Amino acid sequence: MRDTFLVFGAPLIEETEIAEVVASLRSGWLGTGPKVAQFERNFAKYLGVDHTVAVNSGTAALHLSMVALGLGPGDEVITTALTFCATVNAIIHAGATPVLVDVDPVSLNMDPAELRSKVSARTRAIVPVHFAGRPCDMDDIMSIADQHRLAVVEDCAHAIETEYHGRKAGTFGTFGCFSFYVTKNVVTGEGGMVVARSDEEARRIKVLALHGMSHDAWKRFSEEGFKHYQVVECGFKYNMMDIQAALGLHQLARVDTQWLRRQTLWARYNAAFADLPVERPADPAPATRHAYHLYTLRVDPNRAGIERDAFLEAMTARRIGVGVHYLSVPEHPYYQHTYGWKPTDYPHAMRIGRETVSLPLSAKLTDADADDVVAAVRDVLGRPRL
Ligand SMILES: Cc1ncc(COP(=O)(O)O)c(C=O)c1O
């Protein structure tokens, strides 16, 4: 048994980002400033795009994108039944009505055939979520969007490194939205990024992210001298701080080495669980790059001989942190009361949500940590150690 609890999703933080944060603190410039601008440029370079706006969460990125689409009452936005609540809440906060589609049980991404069947005269946008870092079927989704003249806002919270047919996730839609939350592949504590298609849209997002103040507002206390600002629309307080970007700059510089580490851990788990009565994640699809954000097992009690929640408890008792991504959206009472959604109307998402377990997959994991995870899973399922 481990001496310490293995925290699920603990990020790999190195001395370089610690020093950069300390430098920010010492400089006296903690808020939005040069490090945020640099982080935006570096992120744009990584994705091969021109327009990026850093914000203080992935949720803010999604919300601002919805607001920028000009959605309003009566407009419908289609997303997946298997996602974090933030995806759906962003649609609701923009004043639109969310519509869910079930997922493909292999990819765990929105099923394009289901999506097609949910498009109505009121549909304005589609929000695909590249679940666990596996790209959605963007050919089908973009062709449905083009056919019906719908906007696409990609939820890339799991998908910084993801590619589909040679193209990076977040570069297909009207907007791409990223998260740098503590468990994500690049971490700023809290943080997010919007990828826009034009300078004009990026500027609008930037203005909306800071109270609707004219776009150079953050410079108003810089050495260029005080600048008056004008409030040009009713915005939000969603700007990223330099101390967050200080972390992000160094995290982003290591994004591909950390990806390689997670790929190794993923392969190690796949080999170690091959004989177990649980379902492992599907292999990445051809001509794609998986971001390896989550490694999930499906614990079907009829096969595994243990209920999912008992499995979670047994892992915790063995000092291994685990997660659930996610109970399907219609399982939550708010949505049931407000939209009348029933889990059984989205059977794949429901079943996955009730069976799924996420194992630690952070680049911070040592080989010994990974061995502990493997030993705990095998032990809980009553199988001998390898
Ligand atoms: C799929 C998905 N969408 C949106 C979010 C929201 O991102 P954040 O936590 O940065 O607000 C998250 C993560 O938390 C997520 O996993």
Side-chain angles (χ1 to χ4, degrees):
M1 175 83 78
R2 294 173 58 87
D3 303 336
T4 55
F5 186 73
L6 182 62
V7 177
F8 177 86
L12 179 62
I13 302 293
E14 294 197 341
E15 288 306 318
T16 47
E17 50 262 50
I18 292 172
E20 190 84 45
V21 170
V22 171
S24 277
L25 294 173
R26 290 197 201 288
S27 78
W29 193 286
L30 277 60
T32 308
K35 288 189 205 286
V36 170
Q38 188 65 49
F39 184 50
E40 288 173 340
R41 283 194 295 272
N42 293 5
F43 199 78
K45 189 160 176 232
Y46 181 72
L47 288 190
V49 298
D50 294 324
H51 309 290
T52 47
V53 182
V55 290
N56 60 11
S57 71
T59 306
L62 287 165
H63 185 204
L64 292 177
S65 299
M66 303 297 162
V67 171
L69 292 181
L71 300 172
D75 291 338
E76 292 180 355
V77 176
I78 304 180
T79 191
T80 162
L82 192 69
T83 185
F84 186 52
C85 56
T87 318
V88 180
N89 291 352
I91 297 167
I92 299 169
H93 285 309
T97 302
V99 172
L100 301 182
V101 298
D102 204 357
V103 295
D104 176 296
V106 174
S107 71
L108 312 187
N109 283 327
M110 69 166 43
D111 180 335
E114 285 273 319
L115 166 62
R116 202 177 278 283
S117 77
K118 293 283 177 93
V119 174
S120 79
R122 289 182 296 281
T123 308
R124 292 281 315 281
I126 305 168
V127 185
V129 177
H130 304 292
F131 192 91
R134 183 186 171 110
C136 291
D137 193 336
M138 293 313 291
D139 281 349
D140 279 357
I141 290 173
M142 293 313 292
S143 96
I144 294 167
D146 289 346
Q147 188 188 340
H148 298 278
R149 295 173 190 278
L150 307 175
V152 172
V153 176
E154 295 176 72
D155 183 334
C156 304
H158 303 175
I160 293 171
E161 307 90 339
T162 299
E163 290 176 15
Y164 175 84
H165 299 178
R167 191 163 156 189
K168 290 247 197 300
T171 68
F172 291 84
T174 320
F175 295 106
C177 298
F178 293 81
S179 166
F180 310 120
Y181 175 63
V182 287
T183 58
K184 298 298 194 272
N185 295 353
V186 164
V187 163
T188 62
E190 297 284 1
M193 189 77 76
V194 180
V195 172
R197 297 284 90 85
S198 70
D199 197 33
E200 197 188 350
E201 282 168 327
R203 255 189 280 136
R204 171 107 197 276
I205 295 281
K206 195 152 218 155
V207 167
L208 283 168
L210 193 62
H211 303 298
M213 288 152 66
S214 43
H215 73 275
D216 56 356
W218 67 266
K219 288 192 195 157
R220 66 194 188 280
F221 301 118
S222 79
E223 59 195 35
E224 290 169 30
F226 184 86
K227 289 207 172 52
H228 286 289
Y229 58 84
Q230 291 184 310
V231 176
V232 292
E233 58 183 316
C234 182
F236 305 87
K237 185 66 168 67
Y238 283 164
N239 55 307
M240 179 181 274
M241 298 165 70
D242 263 21
I243 48 177
Q244 294 168 298
L247 277 167
L249 284 170
H250 297 280
Q251 287 272 309
L252 185 61
R254 292 202 309 275
V255 64
D256 286 320
T257 49
Q258 298 197 168
W259 176 86
L260 273 174
R261 176 64 187 153
R262 293 194 311 278
Q263 187 187 43
T264 303
L265 292 166
W266 174 288
R268 192 182 185 113
Y269 286 160
N270 261 350
F273 303 147
D275 62 326
L276 300 183
V278 286
E279 201 178 313
R280 292 169 293 155
D283 288 337
T288 67
R289 186 189 197 202
H290 198 299
Y292 302 118
H293 176 58
L294 297 171
Y295 186 94
T296 58
L297 292 176
R298 296 257 309 264
V299 180
D300 170 357
N302 297 321
R303 241 183 102 198
I306 183 169
E307 297 282 340
R308 190 273 305 276
D309 286 359
F311 184 96
L312 294 172
E313 275 174 35
M315 290 296 286
T316 308
R318 285 160 181 76
R319 316 202 77 186
I320 305 292
V322 281
V324 170
H325 301 88
Y326 303 91
L327 277 182
S328 73
V329 174
E331 297 271 13
H332 297 288
Y334 172 78
Y335 307 113
Q336 291 176 359
H337 298 154
T338 310
Y339 301 105
W341 293 340
K342 293 198 281 298
T344 45
D345 290 340
Y346 310 87
H348 293 308
M350 177 185 77
R351 181 137 185 247
I352 293 156
R354 292 178 183 183
E355 293 181 357
T356 190
V357 174
S358 302
L359 300 179
L361 187 67
S362 162
K364 187 178 174 32
L365 257 64
T366 62
D367 287 352
D369 291 332
D371 287 345
D372 289 343
V373 175
V374 167
V377 168
R378 297 188 65 85
D379 193 34
V380 169
L381 293 170
R383 302 296 153 120
R385 283 178 173 237
L386 290 176

